[in-house]
Amino acid sequence: MYKLTKKDWQLSENEVTSKELFDKRRNFLKLGAASLVASGSVMQALAKQSLPIKNLSFKEDKNPNNLKLNSYEQITSHNNFYEFTTNQKRVKDLAHTLNTKNWTIEVDGLVEKPMTLDFDDLLKKFALEERIYRFRCVEGWSMVVPWVGFELSKLIKYLKPLSSAKYIRFETLFDDDMFPDQRNMVFKAIDYPYVEGLRMDEAMNELTLMAVGLYGSSMPKQNGAPIRLIVPWKYGFKSIKSIARISFTDKQPLNTWQKENPKEYGFYANVNPNVDHPRWSQAKERVLGKFFKQDTLMFNGYEKQVAHLYKGMDLTKEF
Ligand SMILES: Nc1nc2c(c(=O)[nH]1)N[C@H]1C(S)=C(S)[C@@H](COP(=O)(O)O)O[C@H]1N2
Ligand SMILES: [Mo]
């Protein structure tokens, strides 16, 4: 029997489409392979999962302690961000109302020159670096996150607080068009704006980060876009999201959770497996995505870098 062999120009519509797709995909893969920097813990994790487009440039963290990263999916789909909801699974679906365009941060208090910082300018002013940190929530879950940001100490040096400034205080944006729970008059989950604070020496510690992204990409809204604090040796609630005001003060700030329940949450909130929460043990934690619990480490594993900050303090009283 005579067999018709089709030429390229004889391909049917369907076949053309799939061939185009095939070629596109092949080129994409080629491109991808070439543009990947082969090594790096983030890149290894990248290969195995769906990830955001890397849109930040930064100095990579070589992950010398071989921390096992949580996936982008895990980090961005289990969140505490009460301005949206107390339901940790729902934050990601509600966070689209947060508008980060033309974001600014007011700087006031005991500082040489009060000013308004433009978020986009900050990105130009401070070189970004990746920091792979453990993150431990006071509720008993934890994760490992490749944050991208710059040291808070660099920003503080640029802002020039007065020598009378003993603390730094942060506020999350108050905007009840963006944050549904700020609109609730009586049944709000907590008081807004969310407030956090650090002693100046804690703020100046090299671990303390102003984070603007994770997994090489701009901060997802549910994780506190466009800029948040990360204090890896403290419980997660210290790591305030979507910062719109920074104040320098000589008085210890009353942070949101201390105000809410001072018997259960203090100012320091250092991760400490030996000091239990009044309602549960802090000795262990469950890593997101894992079944078995693991031991919680003193200062969340950063004892060497920060223990000296608390010398002579009774950590069971100043919790
Ligand atoms: N503004 C604001 N910041 C916040 C919170 C919040 O509800 N509002 N939750 C805190 C708590 S309890 C934790 S554990 C972390 C959670 O950060 P993540 O969602 O990126 O994991 O954000 C902290 N920062
Ligand atoms: Mo938390």
Side-chain angles (χ1 to χ4, degrees), residues 105-231:
I105 303 177
E106 291 302 318
V107 178
D108 58 19
L110 304 172
V111 64
E112 245 177 44
K113 200 168 77 184
M115 61 177 111
T116 305
L117 296 170
D118 185 73
F119 173 70
D120 296 325
D121 288 345
L122 288 182
L123 288 186
K124 287 175 211 142
K125 216 165 266 150
F126 301 106
L128 299 181
E129 47 184 308
E130 181 181 45
R131 294 286 179 94
I132 297 176
Y133 282 157
R134 297 180 202 86
F135 186 96
R136 168 65 154 83
C137 172
V138 73
E139 300 160 337
W141 56 269
S142 72
M143 58 184 176
V144 173
V145 185
W147 303 109
V148 177
F150 53 86
E151 283 182 21
L152 173 59
S153 69
K154 293 186 179 164
L155 177 60
I156 292 177
K157 281 176 197 151
Y158 169 76
L159 296 175
K160 300 202 180 93
L162 306 179
S163 60
S164 51
K166 302 292 180 242
Y167 298 89
I168 183 167
R169 182 183 181 279
F170 302 88
E171 268 181 23
T172 296
L173 180 69
F174 188 97
D175 183 326
D176 58 10
D177 288 332
M178 296 195 203
F179 296 123
D181 198 52
Q182 293 180 341
R183 219 162 27 228
N184 295 338
M185 297 300 286
V186 185
F187 297 107
K188 314 193 279 302
I190 50 177
D191 256 2
Y192 301 108
Y194 196 97
V195 172
E196 259 310 334
L198 295 171
R199 221 169 55 193
M200 201 57 80
D201 58 347
E202 299 178 310
M204 292 299 289
N205 187 275
E206 62 180 353
L207 293 180
T208 309
L209 198 70
M210 293 298 279
V212 300
L214 59 90
Y215 268 106
S217 184
S218 297
M219 192 63 78
K221 293 183 176 181
Q222 61 266 42
N223 294 91
I227 185 165
R228 72 176 299 181
L229 183 68
I230 294 296
V231 198

Side-chain angles (χ1 to χ4, degrees), residues 79-83 137 143 172 194 223 228 236 239 241:
N79 301 98
N80 273 330
F81 205 161
Y82 277 30
E83 285 85 341
C137 172
M143 58 184 176
T172 296
Y194 196 97
N223 294 91
R228 72 176 299 181
S239 292
K241 294 174 166 182

Side-chain angles (χ1 to χ4, degrees), residues 78 80 88 135-143 235-236 265 271 277 280-288 290-296:
H78 177 277
N80 273 330
Q88 296 170 327
F135 186 96
R136 168 65 154 83
C137 172
V138 73
E139 300 160 337
W141 56 269
S142 72
M143 58 184 176
Y235 290 119
Y265 308 102
V271 175
H277 185 279
W280 58 84
S281 163
Q282 291 293 26
K284 288 185 181 289
E285 66 199 46
R286 193 192 307 282
V287 181
L288 292 185
K290 289 232 176 101
F291 182 74
F292 291 106
K293 291 188 175 180
Q294 66 182 33
D295 289 344
T296 287

